[in-house]
Amino acid sequence: MEYYNCITLFVALLIITLHFLIRNPRKSKLPPGPKPWPIIGNIHLLGSKPHRSVADLSKTYGPLMTLRLGSITTIVISSPDVAKEMFLKHDVDFASRQIPDCVWALDHAKLSMAWLPVCPKWRELRKISAIQLFTNHRLDASQGLRKKKVNELVEFVKGCCEKGLVVDIGKAAFTTALNLLSNTFFSMDLCAYDSSGSQEFKDLAWHIMEEIGRPNISDFFPLIKALDLQGVKRSISTYFSKMLEVFDKIIHKRLSDQIGSKDDVLDALLNLVKQNELTLDNVRHMLIDLFVAGTDTTSNTIEWALTELLRHPEKMTKAQAEIEQLLEKGQSRSIQESDISKLPYIQAIVKETMRLHPAAPFLIPRKATTNIELCGYWVPKNAQVWVNVWSMGRDPSVWPDFESFTPERFLESEIDIRGRDFELMPFGTGRRICPGMPLAYRMLHLMLATFLHSFNWKLDNGLSPEEVDMEEKFGVALAKVQPLQAIPFPR
């Protein structure tokens, strides 16, 4: 009997040992990282600007680093070389999302193309966005509407200058971006420059982005997420509901309108609903993603570009000269989307702005769907993956004089922002690259070129360019003809 007990004990110990080895075959080969504290792990190291804190840590622990955030293993990628191996060799394995708890509000994560894992439903939505929404043919067909909105921006700023009124560049850029999008999707404006509507929608978009990006104890400790201790999920439910109310009114009016088709994006989406290829809920939540991502990020990039140009007036002069040369000095016509390809310095300014100030410093977090070997280290299944594009934009091995704003570096470079180059991928890359990139590309260049062509901007608050606080961006003023007051820049 004792013999059989010994055999049983031996087999049990062997099974336990094999289970441990199979489950943790390379635990010792996790990427290096700071030693975690009990319970909280490395949360205390993130600070108020996690992308900067993590970039500093990567200087010590390397471009592939492990952080323990509560109970979540987080792998941080901070170099283009590591990102290249990740996306070229393992894009499928890293294509799922690490979903913040708050995004489950109103079942958004189940319906959103941005948050769904790679699955048949996600592939269907992705195909629709590529074929129905953002084709060159559809965007070309609606460029007249976008041109009209940009011309309205020019008239608004001119009116402010004539009256000596302050021009809030952030609000003006957001209103323009919102109307560019809404005319592409709905053939209508969602707001006006002289109304509170744009600020209300801007606040909604900002609050949604802020809540999704806010450190949330529910994400660090999933076992207690049902408690929603910080109220983040409740807050974002309110913001989602308010935004859906706006879209529901437009959809209801379109469905009850028997006059005819407007041949815009909303018509295309509703036709797919009639053909049972989409549900109305899919359409509603797709609009949340597109309008949140396409308005606040676009306006912030324009603000950053103008802020940098204010600090470097010689580069602003160079950009304006390029535009004048294209349009033949004194010509009254406005900038067209077709002019973008003929404005290499404007394109270089946009690239340099996105290098220094990417709208999403970590992109949207990924999730490993299996155990993966990456650059000789072990990335465990279900690990969260942060791709720190902010840090990559400051990699001294890639970017000489990386802290300086130097658009000229792109004039002789083939590096682009469309996801082909891992040194600069503000829209992401691979299967999860931003589907709205073709429209965003047109909007950014058109708005920036129009701002530069139509007005002469200058600092007018008594500060030299060197004294402007580029980190917080308070106290920056833009002026044209008449002195204007201080204008807030992006948070």
Side-chain angles (χ1 to χ4, degrees), residues 268-281:
L269 292 174
L270 293 179
N271 284 335
L272 292 172
V273 172
K274 293 176 183 176
Q275 297 165 19
N276 294 319
E277 294 185 36
L278 279 179
T279 67
L280 271 180
D281 277 339

Side-chain angles (χ1 to χ4, degrees), residues 406-460:
T406 311
E408 289 78 7
R409 73 175 82 238
F410 289 104
L411 294 179
E412 302 298 328
S413 170
E414 297 297 324
I415 293 177
D416 200 9
I417 59 176
R418 305 188 203 214
R420 297 186 293 264
D421 300 295
F422 300 99
E423 301 91 335
L424 187 67
M425 45 179 182
F427 295 102
T429 187
R431 285 169 175 79
R432 301 308 292 246
I433 192 170
C434 175
M437 180 185 63
L439 178 58
Y441 187 88
R442 294 177 181 227
M443 288 168 53
L444 281 169
H445 291 86
L446 180 63
M447 289 174 64
L448 180 60
T450 298
F451 267 120
L452 295 178
H453 173 55
S454 302
F455 308 101
N456 293 314
W457 305 96
K458 65 180 181 179
L459 281 170
D460 193 60

Side-chain angles (χ1 to χ4, degrees), residues 138-171:
R138 182 171 290 283
L139 295 180
D140 286 344
S142 57
Q143 65 177 302
L145 290 171
R146 292 190 293 276
K147 175 186 172 184
K148 179 181 178 183
K149 296 302 109 183
V150 171
N151 288 341
E152 289 175 3
L153 168 66
V154 172
E155 292 304 314
F156 166 73
V157 177
K158 282 183 178 178
C160 289
C161 293
E162 290 170 359
K163 298 173 184 177
L165 300 176
V166 171
V167 178
D168 185 330
I169 293 299
K171 183 176 179 180

Side-chain angles (χ1 to χ4, degrees), residues 13-81:
L13 289 174
L14 180 62
I15 291 173
I16 291 172
T17 302
L18 289 174
H19 174 74
F20 177 80
L21 291 174
I22 292 171
R23 187 178 179 185
N24 300 279
R26 306 190 186 188
K27 186 175 180 181
S28 63
K29 291 199 69 177
L30 280 173
K35 185 176 180 179
W37 284 11
I39 302 177
I40 67 169
N42 303 119
I43 293 175
H44 64 292
L45 298 176
L46 295 183
S48 62
K49 296 183 176 68
H51 57 290
R52 286 184 172 272
S53 302
V54 169
D56 289 338
L57 287 170
S58 70
K59 294 175 184 177
T60 300
Y61 298 102
L64 185 60
M65 178 175 63
T66 301
L67 297 177
R68 188 75 178 176
L69 304 179
S71 62
I72 304 299
T73 298
T74 300
I75 306 298
V76 183
I77 294 171
S78 301
S79 85
D81 289 338

Side-chain angles (χ1 to χ4, degrees), residues 107-125:
D107 286 335
H108 184 65
K110 294 181 181 179
L111 298 161
S112 160
M113 179 172 59
W115 298 103
L116 279 169
V118 174
C119 61
K121 187 61 182 178
W122 175 81
R123 291 188 181 92
E124 182 182 348
L125 293 174

Side-chain angles (χ1 to χ4, degrees), residues 321-368:
E322 178 182 71
I323 297 170
E324 289 297 318
Q325 183 177 2
L326 172 69
L327 299 182
E328 298 177 4
K329 193 168 182 178
Q331 194 174 2
S332 61
R333 82 168 177 88
S334 59
I335 302 290
Q336 314 286 327
E337 288 182 10
S338 58
D339 293 325
I340 294 172
S341 62
K342 304 167 190 173
L343 297 169
Y345 197 66
I346 297 295
Q347 294 180 55
I349 289 172
V350 171
K351 291 178 184 178
E352 183 72 342
T353 301
M354 289 186 159
R355 178 186 74 83
L356 286 169
H357 312 291
F362 286 127
L363 299 180
I364 298 179
R366 304 286 186 113
K367 180 181 179 180

Side-chain angles (χ1 to χ4, degrees), residues 280-341:
L280 271 180
D281 277 339
N282 287 141
V283 173
R284 297 163 73 237
H285 287 265
M286 181 184 291
L287 291 174
I288 288 179
D289 288 337
L290 293 171
F291 274 83
V292 170
T295 50
D296 198 69
T297 54
T298 299
S299 59
N300 279 355
T301 300
I302 293 296
E303 289 181 281
W304 271 118
L306 286 174
T307 302
E308 290 286 7
L309 291 171
L310 283 169
R311 297 188 72 226
H312 304 86
E314 74 285 358
K315 301 185 188 304
M316 182 180 291
T317 300
K318 185 174 180 178
Q320 290 173 325
E322 178 182 71
I323 297 170
E324 289 297 318
Q325 183 177 2
L326 172 69
L327 299 182
E328 298 177 4
K329 193 168 182 178
Q331 194 174 2
S332 61
R333 82 168 177 88
S334 59
I335 302 290
Q336 314 286 327
E337 288 182 10
S338 58
D339 293 325
I340 294 172
S341 62

